[in-house]
Amino acid sequence: MPTLKENPAEAQIVSHRYMMRSGMIRQSSAGIYSWLPLGLRVLKKIEQIVREEQNFAGCQELLMPTIQPATIWRESGRYEDYGKEMLRITDRHEREMLYGPTNEELITEIFRGSVRTYKDLPKLLYHIQWKFRDEVRPRFGVMRGREFLMKDTYSFDLNFDGAKKTYNKMFVAYLRTFARMGLRVIPMAADSGPIGGDMSHEFLILADTGESEVFCHKDILSFDLPKDNIDYNEDFQPIVDKWTELYAATDEKHNLSQESLLAEDLVSARGIEVGHIFYFGTKYSKAMNALISSPSGQEIPVEMGSYGIGISRLVAGIIEASHDDDGIIWPESVAPFDIGIINLSSGNESCDSACEDLYFRLENAGLDVLYDERDERAGVKFANMDLIGLPWQIIAGPRGIKNGVIELKNRATGEKDEMTLNSVLNKFARI
Ligand code: ATP
Ligand code: MG
């Protein structure tokens, strides 16, 4: 955890500053980062929440490569269209390759080679893999990187009705996924390109530093999230209707007439796009000949959609949504460690042994514990612990330890409680 005292000059937004200062990431080249141990823990926690919710919704995980052949992108017609954002590579045999910016072509190729009949539908396949887009202006750290981690799901259905059910399922899965990260997201109507229709939504969190300008009805900000024990066989149309009937749009889709219509009810703010769900029908299946036999025996192109979540962008997005002047305030579900122990008197025998004992007992209870046993001034340790933003801090000093007590600090509220060692163990062993 190579922490920095000073704000790096290039970091313009708070998440980038805190990620650099707490030693979560280091830049390798423009828009390309190494994930240091602390940052990697958060990335993995977010990835796991996304994975669990995708699996729960009936999606199956696979893993496609980062490097793809140009041939399939020529089939879809996107090899030329994609332009300079695509990183193109030539191998030793002069074959044209590329570093995948997304995977519609590759998944369609896999699908057409393996699935032939409607009996195997619907199918939802996803992977969590690094993407590369040679963005014109990579900036704000991992918020807009060139190399970034994305979860992308692809759906295959027999007809529009099936595709709509699948779309609604993903809509609800996304609400649940972001809620588990402590985020309030707003689904907003997004551009659906030449396909048209209303089945394209971006999921945004509000933040002053967001790159998108957004407009929505103020009531959406206080909507309840779908209940915990959801059944994915249910009809989700009522939930989707509820979330989409009030106005919510990004600047690309914004309708100026709504401003006078909604008047006082209109919230205009900035937002960070953390996910995008998109129905595109037979765009790729037609171009790439991904046909299935229908119940009547006809060969028809399969109906598709894609569903992305910016996993690495979320790390920064969560910090934008949850921090104070001292540093990050991690929601418990994505925190790199659950608890940090600050030993105020490293080298003092009773302090050391009490801290080590607590460390091992909490770890044994299944918690992730960070133990600061460095020989540093108390002020430095306090500042570092606040900066990295673990939900709980245990502060142990020689005077307290003599009486068998420590101080427990809640990072979010700042509240401090003096507690016996045993009551600390009881509190957390139950989490
Ligand atoms: P943007 O409008 O921000 O460029 P996009 O519309 O190109 O995003 P998608 O192709 O829908 O994005 O990708 C799915 C998700 O991947 C996005 O919702 C976003 O969270 C994330 N993402 C896209 N581009 C980047 C990037 N350059 N760096 C980090 N995350 C990204
Ligand atoms: Mg983009």
Side-chain angles (χ1 to χ4, degrees):
M1 262 171 55
T3 54
L4 305 174
K5 265 207 218 79
E6 306 296 329
N7 283 323
E10 75 277 13
Q12 298 166 35
I13 61 172
V14 68
S15 57
H16 191 192
R17 283 198 287 275
Y18 285 162
M19 287 182 78
M20 292 294 295
R21 279 186 44 203
S22 63
M24 291 176 66
I25 51 166
R26 283 296 180 266
Q27 182 173 307
S28 155
S29 56
I32 304 181
Y33 291 84
S34 296
W35 290 80
L36 304 192
L38 190 73
L40 185 62
R41 279 178 171 262
V42 179
L43 191 71
K44 291 281 173 198
K45 289 244 170 130
I46 294 173
E47 182 183 316
Q48 188 55 22
I49 291 176
V50 172
R51 174 177 289 118
E52 285 171 17
E53 291 300 326
Q54 289 293 294
N55 292 348
F56 188 47
C59 308
Q60 286 174 284
E61 185 171 7
L62 46 69
L63 184 59
M64 292 176 268
T66 54
I67 309 287
Q68 304 178 21
T71 46
I72 50 175
W73 287 74
R74 290 219 158 84
E75 281 188 51
S76 74
R78 283 210 292 182
Y79 192 64
E80 306 308 327
D81 289 356
Y82 220 95
K84 288 197 163 163
E85 273 198 19
M86 181 184 275
L87 181 66
R88 296 156 205 258
I89 305 162
T90 310
D91 74 9
R92 67 198 300 165
H93 304 295
E94 299 296 316
R95 275 187 292 248
E96 290 170 297
M97 314 289 286
L98 56 103
Y99 194 120
T102 179
N103 283 62
E104 282 81 5
E105 284 78 0
L106 194 46
I107 197 79
T108 305
E109 188 193 36
I110 292 170
F111 182 90
R112 75 178 172 197
S114 324
V115 183
R116 296 272 146 74
T117 154
Y118 74 95
K119 291 177 193 157
D120 288 331
L121 302 182
K123 207 157 274 302
L124 278 154
L125 300 166
Y126 76 99
H127 75 161
I128 298 173
Q129 178 64 290
W130 294 91
K131 306 288 187 284
F132 193 95
R133 294 182 187 172
D134 205 351
E135 302 271 358
V136 203
R137 283 184 69 197
R139 56 186 180 153
F140 303 150
V142 297
M143 192 75 89
R144 181 165 299 281
R146 291 198 295 167
E147 190 183 52
F148 59 97
L149 189 60
M150 194 205 284
K151 183 284 300 176
D152 36 327
T153 306
Y154 302 91
S155 67
F156 302 89
D157 280 278
L158 172 64
N159 51 33
F160 179 76
D161 270 4
K164 191 167 178 63
K165 282 205 184 90
T166 297
Y167 185 86
N168 290 349
K169 211 189 243 196
M170 284 294 113
F171 191 106
V172 171
Y174 273 39
L175 290 177
R176 287 171 51 96
T177 303
F178 297 121
R180 277 185 65 184
M181 297 170 196
L183 293 173
R184 173 159 283 288
V185 291
I186 308 171
M188 302 203 171
D191 197 18
S192 47
I195 309 289
D198 57 1
M199 280 171 37
S200 173
H201 285 91
E202 290 175 353
F203 287 71
L204 288 103
I205 52 179
L206 299 188
D208 295 339
T209 47
E211 287 184 283
S212 323
E213 201 181 352
V214 302
F215 306 86
C216 70
H217 192 293
K218 68 170 179 15
D219 288 356
I220 300 184
L221 301 175
S222 51
F223 272 6
D224 285 336
L225 287 153
K227 61 184 190 313
D228 257 2
N229 53 337
I230 207 147
D231 175 359
Y232 273 101
N233 296 312
E234 259 174 63
D235 177 11
F236 289 146
Q237 196 62 50
I239 301 182
V240 174
D241 287 347
K242 181 190 152 193
W243 280 86
T244 53
E245 79 197 351
L246 290 181
Y247 185 70
T250 62
D251 45 3
E252 281 167 19
K253 268 279 207 172
H254 182 47
N255 182 343
L256 280 175
S257 67
Q258 291 287 336
E259 299 199 356
S260 49
L261 261 171
L262 290 177
E264 299 286 274
D265 288 337
L266 184 77
V267 176
S268 129
R270 303 204 66 85
I272 300 167
E273 181 195 325
V274 289
H276 189 181
I277 62 177
F278 190 43
Y279 162 75
F280 47 72
T282 54
K283 177 174 174 184
Y284 298 93
S285 53
K286 262 194 190 138
M288 294 181 67
N289 219 26
L291 306 179
I292 41 155
S293 64
S294 71
S296 64
Q298 272 175 302
E299 297 273 294
I300 56 171
V302 69
E303 294 273 335
M304 293 174 62
S306 73
Y307 314 84
I309 290 185
I311 305 227
S312 49
R313 176 179 287 182
L314 271 167
V315 179
I318 293 169
I319 298 174
E320 291 294 329
S322 183
H323 67 269
D324 63 15
D325 288 345
D326 298 322
I328 304 166
I329 303 174
W330 290 116
E332 297 198 356
S333 58
V334 300
F337 295 90
D338 303 303
I339 308 177
I341 300 177
I342 299 177
N343 182 343
L344 288 180
S345 187
S346 288
N348 171 311
E349 215 169 292
S350 54
C351 245
D352 289 355
S353 75
C355 287
E356 280 168 29
D357 189 53
L358 261 179
Y359 175 84
F360 285 113
R361 282 169 187 253
L362 289 168
E363 282 271 323
N364 282 337
L367 290 133
D368 285 330
V369 189
L370 177 73
Y371 176 27
D372 186 352
E373 30 75 286
R374 292 173 304 167
D375 185 18
E376 276 282 1
R377 284 185 300 114
V380 172
K381 292 187 169 188
F382 289 141
N384 280 169
M385 205 54 98
D386 280 348
L387 173 65
I388 67 174
L390 310 183
W392 298 97
Q393 302 176 8
I394 290 173
I395 301 155
R399 239 176 309 143
I401 291 297
K402 211 182 267 171
N403 302 316
V405 296
I406 54 84
E407 210 170 42
L408 180 69
K409 177 176 160 181
N410 180 302
R411 174 67 181 88
T413 64
E415 261 169 70
K416 289 182 186 171
D417 271 325
E418 208 170 63
M419 292 177 91
T420 64
L421 295 169
N422 266 334
S423 48
V424 174
L425 285 170
N426 282 336
K427 180 182 171 81
F428 290 105
R430 271 187 289 110
I431 284 184

